Amino acid sequence: CGVKVSLPKSATYSSLDATISNWSATSNPAYDIDLFYFTKSTMKSILGINDWEGEYAYQRPGYIRLGSSSNAGVLYTPATQLIEEDGCEVIVNFDACQFNLSGDSATERIKVQIIDEKGSVAEEVSIEISGYGDSPTWVSLSATFQAVKSVYKFAFVTEAGHPLCLDNIHIYRSSDIPDNEIFGHLIDQYGKPVAGVAVSDGFTVVQTNNMGFFHFKPSSDAYYIFYSVPAECNVTIDSKGRPGFFQRYKSSQKEYNFTLSKRTGGRERECLLFGFADPQTGSDAAVARFKAQVVPEVKAYAQAQSLPCYGITLGDIISMGGSTNEEYMFYDMRDAMHADKMGMPVFQVMGNHDNCFMNKNYPAKPDATSSNFNLKIQRPFEDAMGPINYSFNRADAHIVGMRNIQWLTGDNCATANTKTCFTKEQYEWLVADLSLVPKTKMVILGVHIPLYNNGRVGDGTYRQEVLNLLDQFAEAHVISGHLHYQHNYDHTRVSSSKHKIYEHAQAAVNGASWTSNINGDGVPNGY
């Protein structure tokens, strides 16, 4: 808790990630460790906070409890030595939670102070915190200070008899982050920064610096802020059973922080990747069949393996089209593909049947968060499943999921109204994402419609440019669906590529649209 992380031109003080799902306001305070009592100097060293000071500041599992039932608490940061010039504006962000042993709701107050070189309070901001009784909730708070000098410290002060919990203290110069940019930190489960990780909004890609810090200007069309899961980290699972590598973007929010979980022993040497093409559930009966047949079979198969398993769908999760609104099935299918039920984390790719409900009576219309109808019609899929274009790393492979279908008009979701292609923005995103990947890596691109050129299959814009990007790597594969039969294709047969690009067009999970146990070519339903 309170690990100091130094950034160029700013300072960050990040604690361990606090988990309060099982925490009670009546939890036993005997578990507290007094951080600043002289006998606990070893604990301060272990936590990396030797240069912090305080009174009545206690270490609890993943956060600090400040103050006690009868004493005011105070926590002093080190001097902000990394502020280069005196007199700059500084922003202090932190998380706070009420600690009320009685379980009663109350209004608490915390003071954030600047302490000058003489030990006097140079400036103070008082912040009111609503009490939550026996249902504690973290809130993110912020205070801004003017004319801060490099020798100043910051203090967090509670009132006697009103203890609070503190976590994730971040201090930075406002000039470091332009008004139109977002920023954040990536730390591991021990509070240490995670460097060199790609962070994106689906349009721009940046990399965390050696202190786990990032910042960039998000697109007005941004829907999520997310990172590319490093190979040496576990795939975090969120409360809905999805790979939890993203946060919903809000135009009013500037800070996006992520806690990653480092793998014991580092990255895997090998793993298994499952491709699930075209579940395409168009009825409640089809969803039930997916849950009853596919899910238990996949989990049993995964549990029988000696290697770790990961999955990626290849589009057409549901079967949207015509005059029936089936968007609710996104949530049924998301629940069915919960990591615990499938025995593995499952990433998602969007297909042509995964658009929002639209027809001539219900056309898709751009709005404030979607500048064109192609973005508009992917929002229900994003809400349920997560980002549309993203990447993650497992073993020595860099795996990318992308949408490669565009609709020509906003009032008809028929297949004839589609074109197989990537947009200019998608291609530029992929260029930026792959620019951070060593050319010695294997790259796997997951899409819905195959990229090999066979009539309308793979005939769209930026197809060849994407293949050229993949051609730069030591080994490259494309995994796709859409056909509802199995087909393997060696792209080097029709190109002068230096490296082999091999495409695996997979048979459908739903076989012959859930009317049989086999696909049209006789391949069994499956993956």
Side-chain angles (χ1 to χ4, degrees):
C1 187
V3 176
K4 178 182 177 182
V5 180
S6 301
L7 298 173
K9 302 182 181 179
S10 62
T12 299
Y13 310 96
S14 298
S15 74
L16 296 174
D17 184 47
T19 301
I20 61 171
S21 58
N22 298 316
W23 183 84
S24 169
T26 59
S27 59
N28 190 347
Y31 290 110
D32 294 336
I33 299 174
D34 189 335
L35 288 176
F36 302 102
Y37 189 59
F38 70 93
T39 60
K40 301 300 187 293
S41 58
T42 300
M43 179 61 70
K44 286 179 62 179
S45 178
I46 291 173
L47 296 172
I49 56 173
N50 284 321
D51 46 359
W52 288 56
E53 299 173 344
E55 298 176 6
Y56 298 100
Y58 306 94
Q59 166 70 19
R60 291 187 67 82
Y63 54 92
I64 287 176
R65 178 168 74 89
L66 191 60
S68 68
S69 58
S70 57
N71 296 284
V74 60
L75 179 67
Y76 297 99
T77 73
T80 54
Q81 301 171 5
L82 297 180
I83 297 175
E84 292 181 343
E85 77 281 358
D86 288 342
C88 63
E89 181 181 80
V90 170
I91 298 174
V92 179
N93 286 340
F94 62 99
D95 295 336
C97 180
Q98 184 195 62
F99 188 91
N100 189 335
L101 293 178
S102 69
D104 297 330
S105 297
T107 299
E108 311 288 7
R109 186 174 299 278
I110 188 169
K111 297 176 181 179
V112 185
Q113 301 172 337
I114 295 177
I115 308 300
D116 64 21
E117 63 271 36
K118 297 179 181 180
S120 301
V121 177
E123 190 176 348
E124 179 181 281
V125 175
S126 182
I127 303 175
E128 187 176 280
I129 303 170
S130 297
Y132 293 93
D134 58 3
S135 299
T137 302
W138 288 102
V139 292
S140 295
L141 305 173
S142 181
T144 301
F145 298 91
Q146 307 296 327
V148 178
K149 296 182 179 180
S150 60
V151 294
Y152 287 176
K153 297 180 178 181
F154 288 87
F156 300 83
V157 184
T158 63
E159 299 174 344
H162 298 276
L164 289 168
C165 302
L166 298 183
D167 195 21
N168 298 321
I169 301 169
H170 297 159
I171 302 173
Y172 60 94
R173 300 189 317 174
S174 60
S175 59
D176 290 339
I177 312 297
D179 289 340
N180 61 355
E181 291 194 358
I182 61 171
F183 68 95
H185 301 83
L186 271 64
I187 59 173
D188 65 18
Q189 68 268 42
Y190 308 109
K192 303 298 184 182
V194 185
V197 179
V199 180
S200 178
D201 63 346
F203 298 88
T204 297
V205 181
V206 297
Q207 212 171 15
T208 57
N209 67 11
N210 61 348
M211 291 296 111
F213 180 74
F214 72 89
H215 66 97
F216 65 91
K217 178 182 177 181
S219 167
S220 58
D221 286 320
Y223 210 68
Y224 286 110
I225 306 300
F226 54 91
Y227 63 90
S228 184
V229 182
E232 66 271 17
C233 292
N234 294 303
V235 176
T236 301
I237 303 302
D238 70 11
S239 61
K240 297 178 175 62
R242 306 172 296 187
F245 61 100
F246 52 88
Q247 294 182 34
R248 182 72 163 85
Y249 170 70
K250 300 176 183 177
S251 59
S252 60
Q253 180 178 336
K254 286 184 66 70
E255 186 171 6
Y256 298 84
N257 300 311
F258 297 92
T259 299
L260 285 63
S261 173
K262 288 286 186 68
R263 286 180 46 81
T264 302
R267 70 184 180 189
E268 301 143 339
R269 291 176 56 85
E270 294 179 288
C271 65
L272 291 177
L273 180 65
F274 290 64
F276 302 100
D278 302 87
Q280 203 164 328
T281 53
S283 66
D284 293 338
V287 173
R289 190 169 168 185
F290 180 86
K291 291 179 178 179
Q293 297 177 9
V294 177
V295 173
E297 180 182 343
V298 170
K299 183 174 184 178
Y301 190 92
Q303 290 179 333
Q305 307 308 308
S306 59
L307 293 176
C309 298
Y310 303 93
I312 184 171
T313 67
L314 300 171
D316 283 4
I317 313 303
I318 67 172
S319 188
M320 185 69 70
S323 59
T324 304
N325 185 353
E326 297 164 347
E327 290 177 13
Y328 71 93
M329 290 185 189
F330 281 136
Y331 300 94
D332 291 340
M333 291 297 287
R334 181 190 68 192
D335 294 343
M337 287 186 277
H338 191 292
D340 290 343
K341 296 176 182 177
M342 295 284 278
M344 68 182 77
V346 180
F347 294 79
Q348 304 286 349
V349 168
M350 183 179 178
N352 56 289
H353 284 286
D354 294 324
N355 55 274
C356 77
F357 176 64
M358 62 172 180
N359 57 33
K360 291 182 178 180
N361 295 323
Y362 299 96
K365 298 292 186 182
D367 58 22
T369 61
S370 307
S371 62
N372 61 71
F373 76 86
N374 265 286
L375 290 172
K376 177 66 175 176
I377 61 179
Q378 73 184 31
R379 298 314 191 197
F381 180 93
E382 287 177 290
D383 281 335
M385 303 300 186
I388 294 294
N389 308 299
Y390 59 88
S391 66
F392 62 101
N393 299 275
R394 296 289 88 190
D396 276 330
H398 182 75
I399 304 164
V400 182
M402 292 185 74
R403 161 184 162 174
N404 70 334
I405 185 79
Q406 303 296 320
W407 283 261
L408 305 180
T409 65
D411 61 1
N412 183 1
C413 58
T415 301
N417 187 40
T418 63
K419 183 177 182 181
T420 307
C421 66
F422 302 96
T423 65
K424 179 176 181 290
E425 291 78 12
Q426 284 182 292
Y427 173 70
E428 291 174 345
W429 173 86
L430 183 60
V431 170
D433 177 82
L434 294 181
S435 71
L436 303 177
V437 180
K439 298 300 186 289
T440 55
K441 292 280 187 181
M442 175 196 293
V443 172
I444 302 171
L445 173 63
V447 293
H448 178 58
I449 299 182
L451 296 188
Y452 68 84
N453 197 346
N454 180 16
R456 292 193 71 251
V457 175
D459 63 348
T461 310
Y462 289 102
R463 167 189 168 273
Q464 189 59 51
E465 289 85 347
V466 167
L467 291 175
N468 290 342
L469 287 178
L470 299 181
D471 193 48
Q472 301 174 39
F473 294 89
E475 184 175 351
H477 296 261
V478 175
I479 50 176
S480 54
H482 189 61
L483 303 179
H484 291 238
Y485 62 83
Q486 187 169 333
H487 185 74
N488 297 311
Y489 187 84
D490 182 359
H491 283 268
T492 60
R493 294 186 305 164
V494 292
S495 70
S496 58
S497 60
K498 181 180 178 180
H499 301 295
K500 179 179 180 180
I501 301 176
Y502 201 87
E503 182 155 4
H504 316 258
Q506 306 222 89
V509 169
N510 76 354
S513 299
W514 297 110
T515 62
S516 177
N517 291 317
I518 59 173
N519 283 254
D521 61 349
V523 173
N525 293 15
Y527 46 87

